[in-house]
Amino acid sequence: MLLPVFTLKLRHKISPRMVAIGRYDGTHPCLAAATQAGKVFIHNPHTRSQHFSASRVYQSPLESDVSLLNINQAVSCLTAGVLNPALGCDALLVGTQTNLLAYDVYNNSDFFYREVADGANAIVLGTLGDISSPLAIIGGNCALQGFDHEGKDLFWTLLVGSEDFDIRVFKEDEIVAEMTETEIITSLCPVYGSRFGYALANGTVGVYDKTARYWRIKSKNYAMSIHAFDLNSDGVCELITGWSNGKVDARSDRTGEVIFKDNFSSAIAGVVEGDYRMDGHVQLICCSVDGEIRGYLPGSAEMRGNLMDTSVEQELIRELSQKKQNLLLELRNYEENAKAEWSSPLNEADGQWGIIPANTKLHTALSVNLGSETRAAHTELCISTSNDTIIRAVMIFAEGIFLGESHVVHPSIHSLSSSICIPITPPKDVPVDLHLKTFVGYRSSTQFHVFELTRQLPRFSMYALTSPDSASQPLGYVNFTIAERAQRVFVWLNQNFLLPEDTDIQNAPFQVCFTSLRNGSQLYIKVKLSGEITVKTDDIELAGDIIQSVASFFAIEDLQVEADFPVYFEELRKVLVKVDEYHSVHQKLSADMADNSNLIRSLLVRAEDARLMRDMKTMKNRYMELYDLNKDLLNGYKIRCNNHTELLGNLKAVNQAIQRAGHLRVGKPKNQVITACRDAIRSNNINTLFRIMRVGTTSS
Ligand code: CA
């Protein structure tokens, strides 16, 4: 079994995800972590004596091993690494919502301290594209910014879309791949080759290989930190996850199987690696929010990858024998059933044994239900059996539709019947696999036959085919041409919408009209003989989803699209005006603050002068004025804060708009639109921005 090679109990709390190891003097690895009240502590056990590397378990570190760095502001990200290769030592980087500090721990001085208006929520160190020097790249609220060791900002890109459910792969500032997940992505880490680990806000962790998901598991706890480390010495990294309940586990990158686990008494704050004992062996180092730190060495060859403790093995044996018991029980039931069937075929009393006719079939049908006065419109899954058997319960597992991803329906005993309809309301337009387990038997049954099957919910199942209503025709549209026959377009429609069974379209031109089950808005799809397709909707996101769906169905690599969304664009224009206003308010407030600081300085001097002259009355007056000014400054600061929050909210909306304009196109035209929009924003050219969003290029 794998035991920690050292354990430390630091008397400092550790903020989640704010842990880093660096060789700040170029030699000794030291742990740095953000702690309460805007401080960062640095634990350096090496300089004192040889004590640390000699002791196996090290319970009480000296307070003097820990030094504190005052940031005076909540730390929002932290990392360490080589920023200036010429120096040969690591920099400690600390980000807050307003600044980035690159700190020279060894010399107790700043490498640089920069204001970052967009905030620093995440930070990585590394090289990017053809910029040769390492960069500290910070992720703000809507932009990425890269600084070199002098604090020069060498890279900047508007990051379109954050806190949505997508994982995006960038090549420099160009998106090369996007994968949609079911929740906000909280962390990513490289594992091996093109494999990477990811964690979601709903307790999911997993591994992707390029754009394909390899495996995933979901826990009721949250992954606080993920890290790749080869813990069983087989040459391939495992995905190490530190959980909110204090568990640490290592999972095979291929299967997700747990090969090691350990428990802390509080949530894990961070998982890092380093040669903390300085004996040439890198340890996996796990830190809890309570300041407990454990280091693990990879398992030796003798352990043959067997890292679990014996009690875990016993647990496994217990689990397996339980499984065996269950299987035996099941077998006995089958035997009893067979016997009962032999003795008295087709007797209602057999029901209790769960015998259902061998030819019992289960039918499933998906349809749209336009709702009633008491029930909102929804998609409906109807399951029915082919005879007088009843459905006792249905279990549905599907990603992103139900809270907790699964849904159980079990009608009361009085309303049992051979069919059941389950309302489904997917919140987003993504295709979803519904994994169903249906319990079928008789009213008196104590055992049930379980039918397992999977149905796919089409991507646009929340739109019902309706007759057009010219009064509420949408103003927004997209226009594009594809070289496909009308019949093929109909096949796409049929696969992606829930059309009534008798719907059939053979020839262009044709038009279909749908009504959204979510908000009643209309969607028109018009196909001309020439292959020109017009999609009318006021929902720019829906238009984008339809274009992406068409493109992937027909394997279209590049698609240029003409678009207009008058209502949405008008909103966006207002947002842009507000952004301008907030910017100028920001400048004015900054200038006011500078003026006030000068005033404070002079008031202070005059008050002190008065005190030296023993003119207590003037002194008192000056201090009163100072008090008032201070109050004004504080108020001004609050206004500045609010202004900043508003500004960020509006900038996010602008980013989202660019993202959506890109989403209306496919391949090269998509990247061109995003780049051109970003350039237009940078040069503050609003009219160009709207032209690009409409036409797809800068040239009219
Ligand atoms: Ca391994």
Side-chain angles (χ1 to χ4, degrees), residues 121-134:
N121 296 325
I123 185 162
V124 285
L125 256 169
T127 54
L128 183 85
D130 41 8
I131 303 170
S132 60
S133 59

Side-chain angles (χ1 to χ4, degrees), residues 230 232 234 236 238:
D230 182 11
N232 59 359
D234 68 347
V236 181
E238 281 75 52

Side-chain angles (χ1 to χ4, degrees), residues 229-238 254 259:
F229 189 80
D230 182 11
L231 201 58
N232 59 359
S233 313
D234 68 347
V236 181
C237 283
E238 281 75 52
R254 282 143 289 183
I259 64 147

Side-chain angles (χ1 to χ4, degrees), residues 400-418:
I401 294 189
F402 310 111
L403 206 67
E405 304 206 330
S406 55
H407 184 57
V408 180
V409 186
H410 46 92
S412 73
I413 198 85
H414 307 292
S415 53
L416 289 174
S417 82
S418 61

